[in-house]
Each structure stands twice: as C-alpha cells, then as structure tokens.
Amino acid sequence: MKNKSANLKETWGAQKAKLKQKFAGLTDTDFLFLEGKETEMVEKLILKLGKTKEEIYQIINAL
C-alpha cells in the first residue's frame, strides 16, 4: 500500500481541481496543503463534508 501522504502530495494539484468540481461548497482555503499540514487540511475536509478520514482519502485517491 502506498503512503497516503506521499500519494496526496504527488497529485494534489489535479485532485484539488476535481474535488472543487465534485463538492461545490469547498473553497480554496479548504485546500491549503502546506508541507507538514496535511492533517489539518484533512480535518477541515472531514468537518465540511461529514466524512471519515478514511473516506476523505478514498475520495481523493479515487480521483
């Protein structure tokens, strides 16, 4: 299994655009992905989308 964080970092630009299309209520601020701050960003998405951490990673990795 590939490291979740590495996968997110490698493809974040493309995934962010797709997430914004899929979930219109998300803003650019929700997608701030600073080195070492992935957890905080994922927690924002969990709260905003009402999904679990695993569901957020599944959504992102499926894009």
Side-chain angles (χ1 to χ4, degrees):
M1 178 182 216
K2 191 171 185 180
N3 181 319
K4 290 178 187 177
S5 182
N7 188 37
L8 184 61
K9 184 177 177 183
E10 291 168 9
T11 60
W12 184 236
Q15 290 172 323
K16 179 172 77 169
K18 290 178 183 177
L19 279 170
K20 284 178 76 174
Q21 287 178 335
K22 186 170 184 170
F23 300 102
L26 297 176
T27 65
D28 287 334
T29 305
D30 296 322
F31 294 113
L32 290 178
F33 179 42
L34 304 173
E35 189 69 37
K37 300 291 184 180
E38 176 185 340
T39 301
E40 289 86 348
M41 184 206 58
V42 170
E43 288 173 357
K44 282 187 204 176
L45 295 175
I46 289 168
L47 291 173
K48 201 134 193 198
L49 299 176
K51 306 280 185 191
T52 66
K53 182 178 179 178
E54 291 76 22
E55 288 173 320
I56 295 295
Y57 278 109
Q58 286 175 351
I59 291 167
I60 292 170
N61 291 325
L63 298 174

